[in-house]
Amino acid sequence: MTARTMARFHRQPTEHTDWCTRDHRCGINEHRSADLITDAGSGRAVITRVRAGNTEYAEIRARIPLHSTETGARWQITATLRLMRELLAAVAVRPGVLRGRTERPAIDRRAG
Ligand SMILES: [Zn+2]
């Protein structure tokens, strides 16, 4: 019989957030919101806000029924990938974006 050494992970528990579900969806150091669901056609997208340690992110899952033809399915997958790239570029945190978050100069600006 050989002895095996099991690695032990020591994670520090973190407090629940104002937005997490405070139930089985939260782990010792990961907190998750309720799912936010949107439907379009026969597809569905789900966004979950997650805090893992000191990092927060939006987890996105989507179910997109694919066309029955290979050409159609490939077109859908290609379009999905292109649009996901555009989505990431549009909402990604860029240097300076969070710094002035409380300043909203466009709100008081008048058109004309
Ligand atoms: Zn939690």
Side-chain angles (χ1 to χ4, degrees), residues 4 7 15 25 46-47 53 59 65 68 72-73 75 79 82 87 93-94 98 102 107:
R4 299 181 85 177
E15 297 295 319
R25 289 172 272 198
V46 180
I47 296 179
E59 180 180 278
S68 59
W75 178 88
R82 178 178 48 79
L87 171 69
V93 174
R94 292 176 292 277
L98 294 178
T102 58
I107 290 176

Side-chain angles (χ1 to χ4, degrees), residues 14-17 19-23 25-27 30-32:
T14 56
E15 297 295 319
H16 289 292
T17 68
W19 46 261
C20 69
T21 55
R22 299 173 182 247
D23 62 14
R25 289 172 272 198
C26 292
E30 179 181 277
H31 300 275
R32 302 175 70 84

Side-chain angles (χ1 to χ4, degrees), residues 23-58:
D23 62 14
H24 64 281
R25 289 172 272 198
C26 292
I28 190 167
N29 66 349
E30 179 181 277
H31 300 275
R32 302 175 70 84
S33 72
D35 290 341
L36 302 169
I37 299 171
T38 185
D39 295 312
S42 55
R44 170 171 279 191
V46 180
I47 296 179
T48 306
R49 184 174 178 176
V50 180
R51 175 180 287 169
N54 293 325
T55 303
E56 278 192 36
Y57 58 90

